[in-house]
Amino acid sequence: MSASPNFSSPKSASPNAFFPASVFTRMAVVKALEKISDAKFLRHYPCPPVRPASKCTPLDTTCLHASVFIAGKCAWRYNKFSRELPQTPWVIDGERRMEGSVEELIAAPLLSSFRADGFNFSSSGREDVDVRTLGNGRPFAMELLNPHRSRFNKAEIRQLQEKINASSEKIRVRDLQIVTRDAMGRMKEGEEEKTKCYSALIWTKKPITNTDLDFIANIKELKIDQKTPLRVLHRRPLAVRQRVIHSMSASYLDTHHFRLQLHTQAGTTSVTVASFLNHCLHSYIKEFVHGDFGRTKPNLCALMESEVDILELDVEERNREEVIPMVVSVTLHALPGSVCDSSRPTWKCL
């Protein structure tokens, strides 16, 4: 088996960074290794490995600048206003399915301004391609790799944020600042305590009146059991997950449509499904509405005794603000007598 040596490397700042000829994901490599027998693997990679007969001689030394981490005072957040924009590049079986992503729209101005070689994007959850993220937005952070410029004053950071927002009408970011490395990990803390508010446009097969929706407001702390949704079963383990819908309300539109507002649990309380936190935490809303062929119980179809479906979904609010520590400012000076190459500076902190 042959593979590119860069299958696990971070995203590159090169022009073709988002359009790779071959895509190697961690899951793709794991699946490939599962198909190789132990005997065949050991023929190419003996264990323990053969002792080398010669020594390694370093031919070149490369110095890299420490990464810069970008987030915000209450977790830098983004809003997504498009129903045709994935959070990250959407690649299926090595083929790019949609142009653009939230990640790319944010990264492009940052890579240019910081003159970084690449980036790592991290967020607190994710939304589906056709779901908008409104309200106070979704927390995220970005690591910029080997930046050739690392110091920006507040006015420059504010200008950079405005540049990102002016680059596209599909997204908006707020509270941009440089933070510490710890911020990347703290962003996902407290998932179990978060609650989220959603707004969904619902279609009903059976004609309805305004009074047919009155019972929805009386439903409180509804516990639902959901088997792994069919639409993600190919990449998620089969399990039954329990969720809580704290409250709901409905706004009548016409005889076949109404707007459903939901206040729900964002994370999960079961340690057996902790890995599900990395998945889209709102994914059960769609299945709660149409039932997913009975895999989600109870569901809105059963509650209304009618066939219903979801036409649109928006994430409207998150009730927990993630406080992220700001980086301590330091003054950087060139070493006496050194020649400062802007592409590879040598610095000393005083």
Side-chain angles (χ1 to χ4, degrees):
M1 180 184 70
S2 62
S4 167
N6 296 320
F7 70 87
S8 61
S9 64
K11 298 171 183 65
S12 169
S14 65
N16 297 322
F18 305 121
F19 302 92
S22 299
V23 177
F24 293 89
T25 63
R26 179 180 179 275
M27 185 58 65
V29 173
V30 169
K31 289 182 178 180
L33 291 174
E34 289 176 348
K35 297 179 181 179
I36 302 175
S37 65
D38 291 344
K40 185 175 181 180
F41 184 86
L42 291 173
R43 284 202 303 268
H44 297 278
Y45 304 99
C47 183
V50 177
R51 183 174 181 176
S54 59
K55 296 182 179 179
C56 293
T57 303
L59 301 178
D60 190 20
T61 301
T62 302
C63 298
L64 302 177
H65 194 288
S67 295
V68 170
F69 299 89
I70 303 293
K73 57 187 176 183
C74 290
W76 191 23
R77 294 170 181 259
Y78 72 79
N79 293 107
K80 182 170 83 75
F81 305 119
S82 171
R83 297 193 189 279
E84 298 180 346
L85 184 70
Q87 185 192 69
T88 56
W90 197 2
V91 179
I92 301 178
D93 296 330
E95 295 184 4
R96 181 72 179 256
R97 292 301 176 95
M98 300 185 73
E99 296 297 328
S101 66
V102 172
E103 171 186 279
E104 292 167 297
L105 291 174
I106 296 173
L110 292 176
L111 290 173
S112 174
S113 298
F114 282 83
R115 304 204 301 275
D117 291 347
F119 69 93
N120 288 316
F121 180 88
S122 180
S123 67
S124 179
R126 59 188 299 131
E127 65 283 324
D128 286 345
V129 172
D130 59 348
V131 175
R132 297 187 303 177
T133 301
L134 309 176
N136 56 5
R138 183 179 300 280
F140 77 101
M142 187 170 290
E143 177 187 8
L144 299 175
L145 306 175
N146 192 30
H148 292 69
R149 181 185 177 186
S150 60
R151 298 197 66 210
F152 289 78
N153 58 39
K154 291 183 178 180
E156 290 172 324
I157 290 291
R158 187 164 52 252
Q159 290 174 1
L160 183 54
Q161 177 174 302
E162 293 172 355
K163 181 179 179 181
I164 294 173
N165 290 336
S167 66
S168 174
E169 296 181 352
K170 296 180 179 180
I171 64 164
R172 176 168 292 274
V173 299
R174 67 178 178 92
D175 298 330
L176 171 61
Q177 65 178 270
I178 299 176
V179 300
T180 64
R181 178 183 290 271
D182 292 341
M184 303 289 280
R186 295 182 185 180
M187 182 176 56
K188 294 181 181 289
E189 291 180 354
E191 291 287 349
E192 294 180 6
E193 291 76 32
K194 294 177 185 176
T195 60
K196 299 169 72 176
C197 297
Y198 301 90
S199 176
L201 178 61
I202 307 299
W203 167 86
T204 67
K205 183 177 182 179
K206 181 178 70 175
I208 59 172
T209 64
N210 199 2
T211 56
D212 290 330
L213 304 176
D214 290 344
F215 79 97
I216 292 179
N218 298 323
I219 298 177
K220 307 293 182 183
E221 304 302 322
L222 176 66
K223 292 183 179 181
I224 63 174
D225 293 318
Q226 178 195 46
K227 288 184 180 180
T228 303
L230 290 174
R231 62 191 175 95
V232 300
L233 190 57
H234 64 285
R235 66 177 187 270
R236 297 290 166 183
L238 178 61
V240 177
R241 302 171 175 89
Q242 188 174 86
R243 301 289 192 177
V244 177
I245 298 178
H246 299 298
S247 62
M248 294 186 289
S249 63
S251 304
Y252 177 83
L253 298 177
D254 59 43
T255 55
H256 289 281
H257 300 87
F258 68 94
R259 179 72 63 177
L260 179 67
Q261 287 80 31
L262 306 97
H263 180 211
T264 74
Q265 170 190 6
T268 175
T269 57
S270 172
V271 295
T272 62
V273 295
S275 62
F276 192 72
L277 291 177
N278 292 326
H279 180 45
C280 167
L281 293 176
H282 72 262
S283 64
Y284 72 98
I285 295 296
K286 293 179 178 179
E287 281 68 29
F288 167 70
V289 172
H290 57 64
D292 199 24
F293 297 98
R295 298 170 66 84
T296 295
K297 298 179 180 180
N299 54 68
L300 194 59
C301 287
L303 294 174
M304 295 191 66
E305 298 181 349
S306 171
E307 181 181 344
V308 302
D309 205 351
I310 185 168
L311 304 181
E312 294 178 352
L313 179 62
D314 294 329
V315 182
E316 293 199 332
E317 206 67 53
R318 298 167 64 96
N319 79 336
R320 182 178 182 270
E321 292 283 332
E322 290 82 359
V323 178
I324 293 181
M326 190 172 181
V327 72
V328 178
S329 178
V330 297
T331 303
L332 302 176
H333 298 275
L335 289 171
S338 65
V339 177
C340 291
D341 179 353
S342 61
S343 64
R344 193 167 304 211
T346 304
W347 301 105
K348 179 181 179 182
C349 293
L350 301 180

